[in-house]
């Protein structure tokens, strides 16, 4: 198992490298140069040349990439001109709230998604199945930014149960309870779509597994239904569901961009949106790179978990 | 040649499947989705023709009018613009952008997927690694990066959304294509001399098209959501142009004072996406062949039994003198839509203790369904037991409570199935799977149960049995897996073993070993055997008595030697004449003309009559009874007692 | 001097080998290992063996779907060089294949006419009218009604699909037809129909067959010469009478002893 983990870790190195190439290229291929973007309408040719030299943009692309990559490896993502502080420091500050939000949402969606999917499959065509199917449909069709607004309107403005936004109360003690109080609505909103997807795929997988010959064998042995479903079927379904949850992380991290905007959550998504409108390219670059790296590592975790459950995966 | 020329007089099956359109319109939810989408799209498309206010005309004096106010059905926004007008024009923009992004992503993604899967090797590696790189990003972040580069704007948002969705299409299409490339018809096309691009375009593409349509229809809603999302963030549509997302984004600042400005476009997005998702699901159900056949229904723990079945026949024998197993008039049907397939159509037979009975028939004859019906293992839906009775030691099993059946399953009556790779659970060790059967029916602690399992493994001659207990099914060879299957069946010393084609998946040398083992162990323990097979040779090897099935009925039964020496039913005789026999190369094999009848359209009278050389008028009417011929023999043929069958057949 | 249609000399094919990206050699499997066979015109060579013995790999090489790793195929006295497309087309004109699974060998989205016309159009360059006439002729040849020609494969039974597959192989009038387990997916009564058709066609058209099967009784029934394969090698080859009456190799003996025969019980109680 250890060997498998090491091998998978080694295999993520080229992926991370590829990600950095893509991020670098996307940013480098900007039509028009960043100097003009930074300086805006007041760019004089001298200033543009000065900025270009400062950013190393007068060198050939591969040299630029290596210089940039060297910086990344040392934790230097450049300096944000709009905030006038190192990109790395800003990204780390913003990453933690995003991970808290995404982690909470992921926990919710796994819990309710798998539960809903299993219940729907076991009670296929029953009222439980119909209820889950309806909720799934609404879940995956609701724009999360719209749902967020509606929830704020209802639970924050009308009922005043939850704050309308932010991570901590302005004059609060910043304790865990305060955090959870602020986290509840955004995490719930973010979880809705992913829960729908997980529930739907869990249901489909359970139905698929329950049709397999080995389930018939289990029944032919005289096993009780509970054991057939939870020992024989669910375990096989989980093997397929785990990577799906890994992929949901991508949706959750993506959805976080909207949710952070709606709930003014001080995460990396909101930072990116602001950075784009101020055209702070280095900040965008650093943010995207770090989130993508997190995503790759989470998927690695999902793969390892799957290998631990499934003896057919070559360890 | 004459018999061959007559061969295919039976027509090809009629075109009975309803068209895709019919099936879609029968799905109420999908129809609702279709109506919703078409209605919204029609209104949006007709925007220039409708008597609408100018969507961009500001009128600050009349700002934030509520819903249903004069001249503004849906009120006005913060600049006094008519919300209804902006809504319709905005829907138009959102739809157009969503559809355009879907088309772009589909075209590029499908091309990549097709090429990667067809050419394989380094082309595949290169393309798919690139796709993997793109998938390594949470997709929206990649879209944000692209928008950051291109600058905010509707067109740029569209490009970004299309680009980040290419991997989904490429993956889906590649997955579908990979399974097609290995199909034999692609090889056949190569043998016909077709070039690679032509094979992709003419042979593969039409078969991948349903997958492309499914992916498109299920992604369209998603694309609409995503472009709306970018506009919501202010990165899509730029003022004064508006789409649904930017209207929602503008309105959210007024959520407390004028909630309708934000909620109305939000609701329209919700409706539009629900519509496309319902329509997409409906299309998938129609186009996916697996869903089409209702294959995704989950089988119940026990076959459904109709009230008419299982009534004890008058004068049922008491347990002491009853045979081990007695099946009377068993009828098992498969109900698919309006069609009823009479898979088992009144089957009766007895099995005495310690006896080996072979059930022989071609595919579709109902032999496996008969075996599975005995303990209610026919999947429901679509299977139902609609008539007859099954008695085990005098106790009726039909309609018995599930818990009673579960006490008998694997305990007094055990099954051995056909393909041991799919019938063993891939995630549990084989030792665990056998021990589980032991502990379910015997009150043993786990150590003693394992010990007993080890003994069973040794008895079925699994080499290095102790190590093998901890092996997973995929680590064993086919023969060894089937030995595990036999060990599992013997776990609780059953009175009856039902073996359903247990050696069909095995090579002939392995088959010989497994059959010998099964025969020895069964005799040693005095268990009775029902052996289902299509192979006359295997039956002669193992069985005392034989039942020949055709179209859901037993057409002949009797002691094996007697039936082989002198078959009394024309089907048995013709079937035996079809089989090439090793060591008799000069024996001319004789085909049976025509095809077995479909069991949902059985002819009246004898089901074999249309193919029978001895057919009389009387064969085509009424019920043909089983003619008892003495010496335990019987045949369901009105001419079974004629002695000159052979000559008239020739 | 017998008229040899096809001959193989030391034909080999291996899979795998080479290195993995991260450590370790991929195992090298010699699926076919030095097979030399010859097939005479108008006769049937049977190739028998159990799963994994390499018989299907041999079939794919014989028809040009798989390139040999070593050795040559000599067709009508000339060694085959598959590198040029023109040569490949010529190869396909001379050798055709009938597949095991009748349904999966027919494209579900094409009509029988389209399926049968493809070789006529690409390999023989026939005009539309010529093709239509030939398709009708082919349907008659395999005892299918010509009016079914515009139907799709799923509208036919397994046996009928296999007839269409045979018609497709016959279309270009090849010198050799390789049959890879052509009847193992069929029920016995249908299997008998197809075997009779094959024998009948051979007599009428003077066809040459390589018949690959795991079923010894079928092979004994239809073949003139038989080669027994075991782990990629031909362990025994000879006339039908020799192989079945006087098997020399132990494996052949084991194989023959393992086949259950109707009406005969091996293991006595």
């Amino acid at each position: 198992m250890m060997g498998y983990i090491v091998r998978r870790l080694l295999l993520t190195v080229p992926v991370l490298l590829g990600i950095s190439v893509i991020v670098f290229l996307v940013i480098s291929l900007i039509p028009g140069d960043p100097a003009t973007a930074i300086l805006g309408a007041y760019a004089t040719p001298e200033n543009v040349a000065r900025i270009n030299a400062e950013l190393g943009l007068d060198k050939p692309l591969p040299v630029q990439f290596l210089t940039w990559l060297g910086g990344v490896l040392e934790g230097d993502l450049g300096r944000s001109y709009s905030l006038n502080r190192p990109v790395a420091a800003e990204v780390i500050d913003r990453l933690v709230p995003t991970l808290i939000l995404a982690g909470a949402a992921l926990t919710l969606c796994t819990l309710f998604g798998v539960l809903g999917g299993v219940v729907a499959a076991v009670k296929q065509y029953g009222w439980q199945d119909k209820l889950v199917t309806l909720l799934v449909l609404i879940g995956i069709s609701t724009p999360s930014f719209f749902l967020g607004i509606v929830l704020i309107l209802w639970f924050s403005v009308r009922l005043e149960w939850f704050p309308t936004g932010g991570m901590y109360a302005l004059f609060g003690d910043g304790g865990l309870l305060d955090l959870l109080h602020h986290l509840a609505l955004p995490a719930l909103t973010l979880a809705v779509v992913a829960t729908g997807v997980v529930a739907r795929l869990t249901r489909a997988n359970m139905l698929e597994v329950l049709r397999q010959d080995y389930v018939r064998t289990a029944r032919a042995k005289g096993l009780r239904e509970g054991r057939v479903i939870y020992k024989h079927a669910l375990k096989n379904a989980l093997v397929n569901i785990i990577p799906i949850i890994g992929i949901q992380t991508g949706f959750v991290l993506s959805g976080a961009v909207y949710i952070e905007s709606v709930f003014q959550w001080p995460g990396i998504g909101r930072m990116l949106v602001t950075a784009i409108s101020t055209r702070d390219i280095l900040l965008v670059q650093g943010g995207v790179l770090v989130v993508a790296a997190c995503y790759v590592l989470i998927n690695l975790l999902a793969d390892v978990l799957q290998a631990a459950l499934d003896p057919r995966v070559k360890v | 040649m004459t018999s061959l020329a007559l061969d295919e007089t039976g027509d090809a099956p009629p075109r009975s499947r309803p068209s895709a359109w019919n099936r879609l319109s029968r799905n109420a939810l999908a129809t609702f989705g279709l109506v919703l989408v078409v209605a919204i799209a029609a209104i949006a498309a007709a925007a220039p023709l409708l008597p609408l206010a100018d969507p961009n005309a500001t009128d600050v004096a009349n700002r934030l009018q509520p819903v249903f106010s004069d001249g503004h059905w849906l009120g006005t926004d913060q600049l006094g613009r008519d919300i209804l007008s902006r809504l319709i024009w905005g829907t138009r923009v959102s739809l157009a952008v969503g559809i355009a992004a879907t088309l772009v992503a589909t075209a590029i993604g499908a091309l990549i997927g097709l090429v990667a899967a067809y050419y394989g090797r380094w082309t595949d590696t290169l393309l798919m690694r690139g796709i993997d790189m793109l998938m390594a990003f949470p997709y929206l972040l990649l879209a944000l990066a692209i928008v950051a580069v291109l600058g905010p704007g509707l067109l740029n948002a569209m490009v970004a959304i299309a680009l980040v969705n290419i991997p989904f299409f490429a993956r889906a299409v590649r997955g579908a294509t990979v399974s097609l490339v290995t199909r034999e018809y692609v090889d056949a096309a190569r043998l016909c001399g077709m070039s690679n691009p032509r094979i992709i375009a003419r042979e593969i593409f039409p078969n991948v098209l349903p997958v492309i349509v499914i992916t498109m229809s299920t992604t369209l809603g998603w694309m609409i959501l995503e472009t709306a999302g970018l506009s919501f963030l202010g990165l899509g549509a730029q003022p004064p142009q508006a789409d649904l997302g930017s209207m929602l984004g503008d309105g959210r600042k007024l959520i407390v004072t004028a909630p309708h400005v934000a909620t109305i476009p939000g609701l329209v997005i919700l409706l539009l996406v629900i519509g496309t998702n319902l329509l997409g699901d409906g299309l998938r159900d129609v186009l996916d062949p697996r869903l089409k056949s209702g294959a995704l229904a989950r089988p119940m723990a026990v076959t459904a039994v109709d009230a008419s079945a299982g009534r004890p026949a008058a004068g049922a024998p008491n347990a002491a003198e009853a045979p081990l197993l007695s099946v009377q008039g068993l009828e098992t049907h498969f109900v698919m839509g309006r069609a009823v397939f009479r898979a088992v159509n009144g089957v009766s037979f007895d099995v005495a203790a310690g006896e080996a009975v072979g059930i022989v028939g071609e595919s579709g004859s109902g032999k496996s369904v008969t075996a599975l019906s005995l303990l209610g293992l026919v999947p429901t839906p679509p299977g139902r037991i609609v008539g007859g009775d099954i008695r085990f030691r005098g106790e009726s099993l039909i309609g018995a409570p599930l818990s009673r059946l579960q006490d008998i399953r694997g305990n007094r009556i055990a099954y051995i199935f056909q393909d041991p790779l799919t019938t063993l659970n891939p995630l549990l060790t084989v030792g665990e799977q056998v021990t589980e059967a032991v502990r379910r029916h015997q009150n043993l602690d786990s150590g003693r149960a394992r010990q007993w399992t080890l003994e069973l493994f040794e008895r079925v001659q699994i080499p290095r049995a102790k190590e093998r207990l901890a092996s997973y099914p995929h680590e064993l060879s086919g023969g060894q897996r089937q030995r595990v299957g036999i060990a599992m069946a013997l776990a609780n010393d059953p009175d009856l073993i039902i073996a359903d084609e247990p050696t069909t998946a095995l090579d002939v040398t392995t088959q010989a070993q497994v059959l010998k083992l099964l025969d020895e162990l069964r005799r040693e323990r005095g268990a009775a055997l029902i052996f289902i097979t299509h192979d006359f040779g295997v039956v002669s090897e193992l069985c005392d008595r034989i039942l020949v099935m055709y179209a859901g009925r037993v057409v002949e039964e009797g002691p094996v030697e007697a039936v082989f020496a002198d078959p009394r039913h024309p089907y048995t005789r013709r079937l035996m004449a079809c089989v090439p026999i090793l060591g008799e190369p000069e024996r001319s094999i004789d085909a049976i003309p025509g095809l077995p009848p479909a069991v949902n359209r059985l002819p009246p009278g004898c089901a074999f009559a249309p193919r029978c050389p001895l057919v009389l008028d009387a064969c085509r009417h009424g019920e043909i009874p089983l003619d008892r011929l003495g010496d335990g023999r019987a045949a369901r043929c009105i001419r079974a007692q004629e002695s000159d069958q052979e000559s008239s057949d020739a | 001097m017998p008229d040899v249609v096809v001959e193989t000399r030391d034909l080999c094919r291996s899979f795998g080998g080479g290195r993995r990206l991260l450590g370790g050699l991929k195992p090298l499997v010699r699926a076919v290992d030095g097979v030399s066979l010859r097939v005479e015109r108008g006769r049937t060579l049977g190739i028998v063996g159990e799963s994994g013995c390499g018989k299907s790999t041999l079939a794919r090489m014989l028809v040009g779907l798989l390139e040999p790793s070593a050795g040559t195929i000599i067709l009508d006295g000339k060694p085959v060089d598959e590198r040029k497309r023109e040569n490949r087309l010529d190869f396909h004109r001379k050798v055709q294949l009938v597949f095991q699974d009748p349904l999966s060998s027919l494209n579900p989205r094409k009509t029988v006419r389209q399926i049968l016309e493809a070789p006529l159009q690409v390999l023989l360059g026939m005009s539309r009218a010529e093709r239509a006439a030939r398709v009708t002729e082919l349907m008659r040849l395999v005892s299918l009604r010509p009016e079914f020609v515009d139907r799709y494969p799923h509208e036919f039974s397994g046996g009928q699909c296999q007839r269409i597959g045979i018609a497709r192989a016959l279309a270009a009038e090849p010198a050799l037809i390789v049959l890879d387990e052509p009847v193992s997916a069929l029920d016995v009564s249908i299997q008998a129909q197809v075997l009779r058709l094959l024998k009948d066609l051979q007599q009428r058209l003077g066809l040459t067959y390589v018949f690959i099967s795991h079923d010894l009784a079928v092979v004994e029934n239809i073949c003139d010469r038989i080669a027994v394969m075991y782990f990629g090698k031909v362990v025994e080859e000879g006339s039908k009478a020799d192989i079945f009456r006087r098997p020399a190799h132990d494996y052949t003996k084991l194989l023959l002893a393992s086949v259950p025969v109707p009406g005969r019980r091996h293991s006595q109680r």
Side-chain angles (χ1 to χ4, degrees), chain B residues 265-559:
Chain B
L267 282 174
V268 173
I269 301 179
L270 181 61
L271 282 180
L272 190 56
V273 177
I274 283 191
T276 53
N277 281 340
L278 282 175
L279 181 60
D281 289 356
L283 271 177
R284 192 195 52 208
D285 290 354
V286 168
L287 292 175
D288 190 326
R290 275 170 7 100
L291 294 168
K292 203 154 50 185
S293 55
L296 274 187
R298 118 186 178 60
M300 300 295 170
V302 63
T303 312
V305 175
D306 279 9
S308 55
R311 296 233 182 80
N318 63 40
E321 60 201 59
L324 181 68
L325 180 81
S326 172
V327 177
Q328 291 303 323
L330 178 68
E331 287 180 63
T332 307
H333 292 180
F334 290 98
V335 185
M336 311 226 202
R338 257 174 251 158
V340 176
F341 294 83
R342 299 161 185 276
V344 177
N345 200 8
V347 164
S348 307
F349 64 93
D350 288 349
V351 179
E355 187 188 27
V357 175
I359 304 184
V360 183
E362 298 182 89
S363 40
S365 63
K367 56 189 190 303
S368 286
V369 181
T370 302
L372 290 175
S373 297
L374 299 182
L375 284 181
L377 288 170
V378 177
T380 300
R384 301 187 74 79
I385 294 174
V386 298
D389 198 7
I390 297 166
R391 290 178 173 268
F392 178 67
R393 295 189 180 287
E395 174 190 3
S396 178
L397 297 185
I398 286 196
L402 176 61
S403 62
R404 179 61 193 143
L405 282 179
Q406 284 171 336
D407 286 341
I408 296 174
R409 287 176 179 176
N411 185 15
R412 299 333 311 146
I413 303 180
Y415 279 91
I416 304 173
F417 294 109
Q418 178 171 351
D419 180 353
L421 184 58
T422 61
T423 51
L424 292 175
N425 190 327
L427 302 186
L428 302 177
T429 64
V430 289
E432 221 173 321
Q433 295 187 58
V434 176
T435 311
E436 188 181 49
V438 173
R439 294 197 68 190
R440 167 65 180 86
H441 297 292
Q442 298 178 42
N443 197 10
L444 294 180
D445 62 46
S446 67
R448 288 183 51 202
R450 275 184 71 82
Q451 188 55 40
W452 173 228
T453 304
L454 179 61
E455 267 173 54
L456 286 167
F457 272 39
E458 279 162 356
R459 217 167 287 187
V460 295
Q461 298 164 20
I462 292 175
R464 291 181 293 135
K466 193 151 196 173
E467 292 164 47
R468 283 303 175 206
L469 287 176
S471 297
Y472 290 95
H474 72 278
E475 295 167 343
L476 304 182
S477 70
Q480 288 193 7
R481 277 196 290 267
Q482 200 53 295
R483 285 167 201 268
V484 172
I486 295 175
M488 200 184 281
L490 295 174
N492 300 302
D493 264 327
D495 302 318
L496 174 62
I497 297 172
I498 301 170
D500 187 0
E501 306 243 13
T503 56
T504 307
L506 303 178
D507 273 325
V508 61
T509 49
T510 319
Q511 163 174 300
Q513 296 162 5
V514 170
L515 288 180
K516 186 158 173 279
L517 182 75
L518 179 62
D519 197 41
E520 284 169 10
L521 290 175
R522 172 188 85 77
R523 285 175 193 287
E524 203 177 289
R525 300 172 172 226
L529 175 71
I530 296 178
F531 196 96
I532 317 273
T533 181
H534 65 276
D535 188 333
F536 280 116
V538 173
V539 173
S540 337
E541 197 94 340
L542 286 183
C543 300
D544 309 312
R545 227 147 45 82
I546 183 172
L547 306 174
V548 180
M549 285 188 70
Y550 185 76
R553 315 195 116 185
V554 175
V555 295
E556 174 148 15
E557 67 170 284

Side-chain angles (χ1 to χ4, degrees), chain A residues 137-311:
Chain A
L137 177 71
I138 294 175
I140 60 174
S141 305
T142 309
S144 54
F145 39 90
F146 175 55
L147 182 65
I149 292 172
V150 172
L151 290 184
I152 290 177
L153 185 63
W154 201 257
F155 291 101
S156 306
V157 179
R158 294 269 159 82
L159 298 174
E160 297 187 5
W161 288 358
F162 295 100
T164 56
M167 192 163 163
Y168 293 102
L170 219 47
F171 303 105
D173 55 359
L176 184 64
L177 274 181
D178 192 25
L179 174 64
L180 288 178
H181 193 213
H182 282 81
L183 183 62
L185 280 188
L188 189 71
T189 315
L190 185 52
V192 165
V193 179
T195 306
V197 178
V198 172
R200 164 185 273 213
L201 292 172
T202 304
R203 176 179 182 273
N205 261 302
M206 273 302 277
L207 288 178
E208 178 70 37
V209 167
L210 283 168
R211 291 174 45 236
Q212 297 300 312
D213 287 349
Y214 52 76
V215 169
R216 188 185 61 191
T217 308
R219 286 181 175 149
K221 282 194 272 194
L223 300 183
R224 306 277 183 209
E225 272 307 278
R227 194 171 169 94
V228 171
I229 286 166
Y230 295 104
K231 171 124 191 185
H232 285 264
L234 185 58
K235 195 170 178 191
N236 276 283
L238 275 182
V239 166
N240 300 325
I241 294 165
I242 286 168
I244 290 168
I245 290 171
I247 290 170
Q248 286 313 302
T249 319
F251 287 79
V252 166
L253 286 172
S254 295
V257 174
Y258 302 128
I259 302 304
E260 288 174 7
S261 279
V262 172
F263 288 92
Q264 287 144 47
W265 190 262
I268 217 161
R270 203 152 67 104
M271 179 199 86
L272 284 173
V273 176
T274 320
I276 291 171
S277 31
T278 54
R279 307 226 66 185
D280 191 340
I281 298 297
L282 286 181
L283 198 54
V284 176
Q285 198 177 35
V288 171
L289 187 69
V290 169
V291 176
C294 288
Y295 180 44
V296 169
L297 291 178
I298 290 167
N299 271 310
L300 174 72
L301 198 70
D303 284 354
V304 170
L305 208 60
Q306 190 194 16
L309 271 180
D310 189 345

Side-chain angles (χ1 to χ4, degrees), chain B residues 121-132:
Chain B
R121 299 179 186 220
W122 66 265
T123 316
D124 188 27
T125 311
L126 204 70
L127 284 172
M128 292 326 283
R129 286 300 149 269
I131 293 293
D132 285 350

